Amino acid sequence: MTDFRFCFVASRADIATSACERLERRYGSHDPHDADVIVALGGDGFMLQTLHATEGLDAPVYGMNRGTVGFLMNQFSEEDLPERIAEAEVAAIHPLRMKALDTAGDTHTALAINEVSLLRMGPQAAKLKIGVDGRERMAELVCDGALVSTPAGSTAYNYSAHGPILPIGADILALTAISAYRPRRWRGALLPSHTTVRFDVLEHEKRGVAAVADSQEVRDVVRVEIHSEPAVTHRLMFDPGHGLEERLIREQFV
């Protein structure tokens, strides 16, 4: 099949919007609810926005890099788009679900495709208690923060924090410390994907912590629970030989 109905979406960058206009003139554009494929033009941040915005649709997302990094994107070209889509590989990924309780007693929920991170808000280090599936695993972690990452997000913030790169098909989550002070040099843990991780913020009155699910921030949290959400599936399309599995392997040999 090469007769696809496309929906083109673009970031606000001029290079992305101008590319979107040219592609719409060439291939036409449909409402996202009627499209066979969502084509996202931008960088990785815009791809995450697009995946969140289209999570209730059947159409997969094919990204073309008109941004900076482009780890989740394909190379940009205006030529042969229907043929590239017809030959593309599809990767199915599940996000994390964050449930955060703040100091006002309000509960916030959000989905994260890459990671959920807890970050100190002020000059003092955060103090976190870590529980896994209802069992306390670390009574006190003194740190700048900590995060839980999916395999798809393991090369992003997780990798910058010296966390492991996870194979895309692995049923594993990475729990990674950010600048751990005590226990010194603790790097984190690998956990089954069905695990529920709970962070309790100790001394939250003077050691404020924010929780961030991808780009959605909740400030002054006192408790955060994180688990994989298998009920939600995002489908990304990649050119043959350049899928997520290959990219994650290649990233380890740079």
Side-chain angles (χ1 to χ4, degrees), residues 1 30 41 77 93 103 136 176 180 238:
M1 175 181 175
H30 295 262
L41 304 163
S77 174
I93 60 175
T103 54
E136 183 181 299
T176 301
F238 296 94

Side-chain angles (χ1 to χ4, degrees), residues 184-230:
R184 186 82 71 176
R185 300 187 182 89
W186 187 71
R187 295 299 188 190
L190 296 177
L191 303 170
S193 61
H194 57 75
T195 296
T196 296
V197 179
R198 171 170 164 165
F199 294 99
D200 287 279
V201 181
L202 308 178
E203 301 178 20
H204 58 79
E205 300 88 350
K206 67 175 182 177
R207 299 175 184 269
V209 170
V212 184
D214 285 346
S215 61
Q216 300 180 68
E217 181 185 52
V218 181
R219 297 178 68 80
D220 296 308
V221 296
V222 297
R223 184 174 68 243
V224 179
E225 294 183 352
I226 304 161
H227 64 86
S228 182
E229 183 52 271

Side-chain angles (χ1 to χ4, degrees), residues 31-48:
D31 183 273
H33 292 84
D34 299 324
D36 299 310
V37 181
I38 309 294
V39 179
L41 304 163
D44 285 343
F46 184 71
M47 171 58 88
L48 293 178

